[in-house]
Amino acid sequence: MSKNKFEEHLDAAGIAFDLLLFLPIFISNITGIFSKDVFAENSLYFPAIFIIDMIYIAVYYSNVKDKEYRGEGMLYLVLLIILGFSLIGMSIAYALTIL
C-alpha cells in the first residue's frame, strides 16, 4: 500500500472514530432536551455534558481549520453545527427546568 493510500485510510478511520464518539454525546444532548426528568434526577448531568460538549466544540473547530481536504472540513463543520444547536437546546431545557 502506498503512503498516500495509507494516509487516506488513516484519515477515514479517524473520521469514523470521531463519528462513533459523537453519537453518544448527541444522544445525551437530545435526551436532555426532551426529557426534563433527567435534570431532576441527576443534577450533575448538565454540567458534565456541557463540559464534554465544550471540549468537542474546541476539537471540531480546530479540525475544521486544520483539515486540508474540503470534505473532511465540511464534515467537522456539520458536526460542529449540530453539536452547537443541541447544546443550545439542552441549555434552554435546563433553564426551563430550573425556573
Side-chain angles (χ1 to χ4, degrees):
M1 184 182 314
S2 70
K3 188 175 180 182
N4 248 358
K5 281 285 189 194
F6 179 74
E7 288 177 0
E8 287 177 18
H9 287 296
L10 195 61
D11 287 342
I15 290 173
F17 183 72
D18 284 340
L19 288 174
L20 283 174
L21 289 177
F22 177 78
L23 287 176
I25 293 168
F26 178 70
I27 290 169
S28 65
N29 285 356
I30 296 301
T31 302
I33 291 170
F34 293 111
S35 177
K36 294 181 181 179
D37 297 335
V38 172
F39 294 131
E41 291 173 9
N42 190 355
S43 61
L44 294 178
Y45 176 82
F46 179 76
I49 295 300
F50 186 83
I51 290 169
I52 292 170
D53 285 349
M54 294 309 291
I55 291 169
Y56 268 89
I57 284 173
V59 168
Y60 290 156
Y61 180 70
S62 68
N63 283 340
V64 167
K65 289 183 2 182
D66 294 342
K67 293 297 178 187
E68 58 188 61
Y69 300 112
R70 286 175 74 184
E72 289 178 71
M74 286 302 293
L75 173 70
Y76 284 115
L77 183 63
V78 168
L79 291 177
L80 185 64
I81 290 168
I82 292 171
L83 188 59
F85 279 122
S86 64
L87 181 63
I88 291 168
M90 191 177 68
S91 300
I92 292 170
Y94 182 69
L96 291 176
T97 58
I98 290 177
L99 299 175

